[in-house]
Amino acid sequence: MKASNEHAVTVGWQVEKFAREGKKMKSLDDYLKTKSKPAEDGALGVRRLFEGMLERQEGTDGTR
């Protein structure tokens, strides 16, 4: 029970601090929005990663 009271005081303190500093928090739905990339972008990134690894492993005579 004591922990919930301390939590409430902490939340109230932060709200008052933000209000005095003029900060405004974004709405909750703004934080819940996902910025997902298409799967093709992720696959292209992995392909570039492996191609770069292969280039670094190649010797001057063309061998790996």
Side-chain angles (χ1 to χ4, degrees):
M1 192 68 161
K2 182 179 178 185
S4 64
N5 290 340
E6 290 178 0
H7 184 260
V9 169
T10 303
V11 169
W13 179 267
Q14 293 299 326
V15 168
E16 181 64 24
K17 179 181 170 192
F18 273 38
R20 288 179 186 235
E21 293 177 356
K23 294 181 181 178
K24 293 198 177 218
M25 295 187 69
K26 299 176 188 174
S27 62
L28 182 59
D29 63 340
D30 193 45
Y31 289 105
L32 295 176
K33 290 180 186 173
T34 58
K35 298 174 183 171
S36 61
K37 298 182 200 175
E40 297 85 28
D41 290 347
L44 185 60
V46 171
R47 184 177 178 123
R48 287 182 187 153
L49 173 77
F50 284 121
E51 287 174 353
M53 290 170 62
L54 287 174
E55 287 177 6
R56 286 190 295 277
Q57 289 178 357
E58 289 180 358
T60 56
D61 58 353
T63 60
R64 292 186 184 165

